[in-house]
Amino acid sequence: MHREKQAVTWFEHAQDYVVKKWPKASAHSRRSMVESMVAVTSVLVRDRCGAPGTEELRDALRWAFIVSRKNYEQPEEVILALNWLRKASLPITSLTEHNVVGKALSACAMRLDGTAAAPEYYRRRRRVFYNSLRYALNQGRLMSNPLDAQALKTEWAQPDVDDAVDPRAMGNPQQIAEALKVCSYMGRRQGPRFVAFFACMYYAMMRPAEVSRLREADCHLPASGWGKLILEASAPEVGKDYTDNGELHDNRGLKGRSKKTVRPVPIPPELVTLLRRHIDKFGVASDGRLFRSESGRPVPKSTYSRLWRKIGAFTLTPEQLATPLMATPYDLRHAGVTWRLSAGVPAAQVAESAGHSVEVLQRIYHRCMAGYDDVWIERMNRAREVAR
């Protein structure tokens, strides 16, 4: 009883953990950390009178965990909710009990609306929770990590995640060319600004964050033939609370690579032409970026996602709209990777251009390459004829 009384609460420990990890974490990691701590901390509480509502408590926890808000004046309802939480939060030593840590893992497995979270979402939250407990172990607040207990490993095993791309989402070259053509007619100004944006995702297999960061200096666009893009950075949209500069987009290196690493991507003449037209018509930002809003800021995800849905309504039939076919802009990148693989480009080369390892490429796109037996047989027959 004395040890429990002297132990720090889970809420105190969670705040300490976030502050410790925040400076060196990427903006995406910061958001995942905050989301995970909000989910867990909101359930590791005692029943006490005066409890705030679920949404009020979660909002107060965001104020408590988002380090960038420390200099802001907290609303009165946030102050009241945090005062209640400091008294109601369980001591961190209570996590040695099976039912308590199980409650925290249940929170990791649920979305805010009470439905089951996707397996990858649960794995990400669980990973943050595990690291926070390991930090407690290093600080002498726990004697062992409760998640290492065999009973918990069996009951709360991390789910296998099938991250293979759905082949039904892949648009063929004709469908994508039609979508880009429709985009050029969508509105007087908005649609034409995004033709090359979407084309980069297909012809250069770029992630949206990489397209947002593309600069004129990164583009080698000859008058004819194939060109090349030299990608060196990305600008993912994560939210103003999680970036160091208070902007909506973060400035970071390429995904999964060191900051000084670049990725060369050969691009076909179709994309070379579209990029040259885009630069001629819209120019570039002061820092050389090709794609930005009319005010010069990076394009929000909501803007190009809404536009893509409008394009789909004009491009696809009602039957196709009811399927996953080209449902999101990211499907353009998947289609671009599949197109190069089906054209016979070696997997190692495609993986390098797309920013994957060969192992990840094969795991993600193995379903998309099913049904190409006739293509492979024809190529093998040609090789046999040459050998004769």
Side-chain angles (χ1 to χ4, degrees), residues 286-308:
S286 57
D287 59 356
R289 286 179 296 110
L290 270 62
F291 303 104
R292 71 277 186 209
S293 65
E294 292 186 348
S295 63
R297 305 181 72 82
V299 180
K301 179 181 178 180
S302 57
T303 299
Y304 64 77
S305 296
R306 282 196 304 267
L307 177 60
W308 186 249

Short mmCIF file of all heavy atoms in Angstrom, two decimals, residues 286-308:
data_model
loop_
_atom_site.label_atom_id
_atom_site.label_comp_id
_atom_site.label_asym_id
_atom_site.label_seq_id
_atom_site.Cartn_x
_atom_site.Cartn_y
_atom_site.Cartn_z
N SER A 286 8.21 30.25 -54.75
CA SER A 286 9.48 30.95 -54.49
C SER A 286 10.61 29.99 -54.13
O SER A 286 11.78 30.27 -54.38
CB SER A 286 9.29 31.97 -53.36
OG SER A 286 8.81 31.33 -52.19
N ASP A 287 10.24 28.82 -53.54
CA ASP A 287 11.26 27.83 -53.20
C ASP A 287 11.41 26.76 -54.28
O ASP A 287 12.10 25.76 -54.07
CB ASP A 287 10.94 27.17 -51.86
CG ASP A 287 9.59 26.46 -51.86
OD1 ASP A 287 8.87 26.54 -52.88
OD2 ASP A 287 9.25 25.83 -50.84
N GLY A 288 10.75 26.96 -55.41
CA GLY A 288 10.90 26.04 -56.53
C GLY A 288 9.88 24.93 -56.60
O GLY A 288 9.90 24.13 -57.55
N ARG A 289 8.95 24.84 -55.63
CA ARG A 289 7.94 23.78 -55.66
C ARG A 289 7.00 23.93 -56.84
O ARG A 289 6.56 25.04 -57.16
CB ARG A 289 7.13 23.76 -54.36
CG ARG A 289 7.86 23.21 -53.16
CD ARG A 289 7.02 23.24 -51.90
NE ARG A 289 6.71 24.60 -51.51
CZ ARG A 289 5.50 25.14 -51.58
NH1 ARG A 289 4.47 24.44 -52.04
NH2 ARG A 289 5.29 26.39 -51.20
N LEU A 290 6.66 22.81 -57.47
CA LEU A 290 5.78 22.83 -58.63
C LEU A 290 4.31 22.92 -58.22
O LEU A 290 3.52 23.56 -58.92
CB LEU A 290 5.99 21.58 -59.48
CG LEU A 290 7.06 21.66 -60.58
CD1 LEU A 290 8.43 21.92 -59.98
CD2 LEU A 290 7.06 20.37 -61.40
N PHE A 291 3.95 22.26 -57.13
CA PHE A 291 2.53 22.11 -56.79
C PHE A 291 2.23 22.84 -55.48
O PHE A 291 2.84 22.57 -54.44
CB PHE A 291 2.17 20.64 -56.67
CG PHE A 291 2.47 19.86 -57.92
CD1 PHE A 291 3.58 19.01 -57.97
CD2 PHE A 291 1.68 20.00 -59.05
CE1 PHE A 291 3.87 18.30 -59.12
CE2 PHE A 291 1.98 19.30 -60.21
CZ PHE A 291 3.07 18.45 -60.25
N ARG A 292 1.29 23.75 -55.53
CA ARG A 292 0.86 24.50 -54.37
C ARG A 292 -0.50 25.10 -54.66
O ARG A 292 -0.96 25.12 -55.80
CB ARG A 292 1.86 25.59 -53.98
CG ARG A 292 1.94 26.78 -54.90
CD ARG A 292 2.81 26.55 -56.09
NE ARG A 292 2.98 27.78 -56.88
CZ ARG A 292 3.18 27.79 -58.18
NH1 ARG A 292 3.23 26.66 -58.86
NH2 ARG A 292 3.36 28.93 -58.81
N SER A 293 -1.15 25.59 -53.62
CA SER A 293 -2.43 26.25 -53.78
C SER A 293 -2.23 27.61 -54.42
O SER A 293 -1.09 28.07 -54.60
CB SER A 293 -3.13 26.40 -52.43
OG SER A 293 -2.38 27.28 -51.59
N GLU A 294 -3.32 28.29 -54.74
CA GLU A 294 -3.20 29.61 -55.35
C GLU A 294 -2.57 30.62 -54.41
O GLU A 294 -2.04 31.64 -54.84
CB GLU A 294 -4.57 30.09 -55.81
CG GLU A 294 -5.13 29.27 -56.97
CD GLU A 294 -6.43 29.85 -57.50
OE1 GLU A 294 -7.00 30.73 -56.83
OE2 GLU A 294 -6.87 29.43 -58.59
N SER A 295 -2.62 30.33 -53.10
CA SER A 295 -1.98 31.21 -52.12
C SER A 295 -0.50 30.87 -51.93
O SER A 295 0.20 31.53 -51.17
CB SER A 295 -2.70 31.12 -50.77
OG SER A 295 -2.60 29.80 -50.24
N GLY A 296 -0.05 29.79 -52.60
CA GLY A 296 1.36 29.40 -52.53
C GLY A 296 1.68 28.37 -51.48
O GLY A 296 2.83 27.95 -51.35
N ARG A 297 0.70 27.91 -50.72
CA ARG A 297 0.94 26.94 -49.65
C ARG A 297 0.81 25.52 -50.18
O ARG A 297 0.20 25.30 -51.24
CB ARG A 297 -0.05 27.15 -48.50
CG ARG A 297 -0.04 28.58 -47.95
CD ARG A 297 -1.01 28.73 -46.81
NE ARG A 297 -0.52 28.06 -45.62
CZ ARG A 297 0.36 28.58 -44.77
NH1 ARG A 297 0.86 29.80 -44.99
NH2 ARG A 297 0.75 27.93 -43.70
N PRO A 298 1.40 24.54 -49.49
CA PRO A 298 1.24 23.14 -49.91
C PRO A 298 -0.23 22.75 -49.99
O PRO A 298 -1.06 23.24 -49.23
CB PRO A 298 1.98 22.36 -48.81
CG PRO A 298 2.96 23.33 -48.25
CD PRO A 298 2.29 24.67 -48.31
N VAL A 299 -0.54 21.86 -50.90
CA VAL A 299 -1.93 21.48 -51.15
C VAL A 299 -2.40 20.51 -50.06
O VAL A 299 -1.77 19.48 -49.83
CB VAL A 299 -2.07 20.81 -52.52
CG1 VAL A 299 -3.52 20.41 -52.77
CG2 VAL A 299 -1.57 21.72 -53.62
N PRO A 300 -3.51 20.81 -49.37
CA PRO A 300 -4.04 19.88 -48.36
C PRO A 300 -4.55 18.59 -49.01
O PRO A 300 -5.03 18.59 -50.14
CB PRO A 300 -5.19 20.66 -47.72
CG PRO A 300 -4.97 22.08 -48.09
CD PRO A 300 -4.28 22.06 -49.42
N LYS A 301 -4.46 17.51 -48.26
CA LYS A 301 -4.94 16.22 -48.75
C LYS A 301 -6.42 16.26 -49.07
O LYS A 301 -6.87 15.65 -50.05
CB LYS A 301 -4.66 15.14 -47.70
CG LYS A 301 -5.14 13.76 -48.09
CD LYS A 301 -4.85 12.75 -47.00
CE LYS A 301 -5.38 11.37 -47.37
NZ LYS A 301 -5.10 10.38 -46.28
N SER A 302 -7.19 17.00 -48.27
CA SER A 302 -8.63 17.06 -48.49
C SER A 302 -8.96 17.65 -49.86
O SER A 302 -9.95 17.27 -50.49
CB SER A 302 -9.29 17.89 -47.39
OG SER A 302 -8.74 19.21 -47.35
N THR A 303 -8.13 18.58 -50.33
CA THR A 303 -8.39 19.24 -51.61
C THR A 303 -8.25 18.27 -52.77
O THR A 303 -9.16 18.13 -53.60
CB THR A 303 -7.45 20.45 -51.80
OG1 THR A 303 -7.67 21.40 -50.77
CG2 THR A 303 -7.69 21.10 -53.16
N TYR A 304 -7.09 17.59 -52.86
CA TYR A 304 -6.93 16.70 -54.01
C TYR A 304 -7.75 15.42 -53.88
O TYR A 304 -8.09 14.79 -54.88
CB TYR A 304 -5.44 16.41 -54.29
CG TYR A 304 -4.67 15.66 -53.23
CD1 TYR A 304 -4.81 14.29 -53.06
CD2 TYR A 304 -3.75 16.33 -52.43
CE1 TYR A 304 -4.07 13.61 -52.11
CE2 TYR A 304 -3.00 15.66 -51.49
CZ TYR A 304 -3.17 14.29 -51.33
OH TYR A 304 -2.43 13.61 -50.38
N SER A 305 -8.11 15.03 -52.65
CA SER A 305 -8.98 13.86 -52.48
C SER A 305 -10.39 14.15 -52.99
O SER A 305 -11.01 13.30 -53.65
CB SER A 305 -9.02 13.44 -51.01
OG SER A 305 -7.75 13.02 -50.56
N ARG A 306 -10.92 15.34 -52.66
CA ARG A 306 -12.25 15.71 -53.16
C ARG A 306 -12.25 15.79 -54.68
O ARG A 306 -13.19 15.32 -55.34
CB ARG A 306 -12.67 17.06 -52.58
CG ARG A 306 -13.18 17.01 -51.16
CD ARG A 306 -13.94 18.29 -50.80
NE ARG A 306 -13.11 19.48 -51.02
CZ ARG A 306 -12.36 20.04 -50.08
NH1 ARG A 306 -12.31 19.51 -48.87
NH2 ARG A 306 -11.65 21.13 -50.35
N LEU A 307 -11.20 16.35 -55.25
CA LEU A 307 -11.12 16.46 -56.70
C LEU A 307 -11.08 15.08 -57.34
O LEU A 307 -11.73 14.85 -58.37
CB LEU A 307 -9.87 17.26 -57.09
CG LEU A 307 -9.60 17.41 -58.58
CD1 LEU A 307 -10.76 18.12 -59.28
CD2 LEU A 307 -8.29 18.16 -58.83
N TRP A 308 -10.34 14.16 -56.75
CA TRP A 308 -10.24 12.81 -57.32
C TRP A 308 -11.60 12.10 -57.31
O TRP A 308 -11.92 11.37 -58.24
CB TRP A 308 -9.21 11.99 -56.57
CG TRP A 308 -8.95 10.66 -57.19
CD1 TRP A 308 -9.28 9.43 -56.70
CD2 TRP A 308 -8.32 10.41 -58.46
NE1 TRP A 308 -8.90 8.44 -57.55
CE2 TRP A 308 -8.30 9.01 -58.65
CE3 TRP A 308 -7.77 11.24 -59.43
CZ2 TRP A 308 -7.75 8.42 -59.79
CZ3 TRP A 308 -7.21 10.65 -60.56
CH2 TRP A 308 -7.21 9.26 -60.73
#
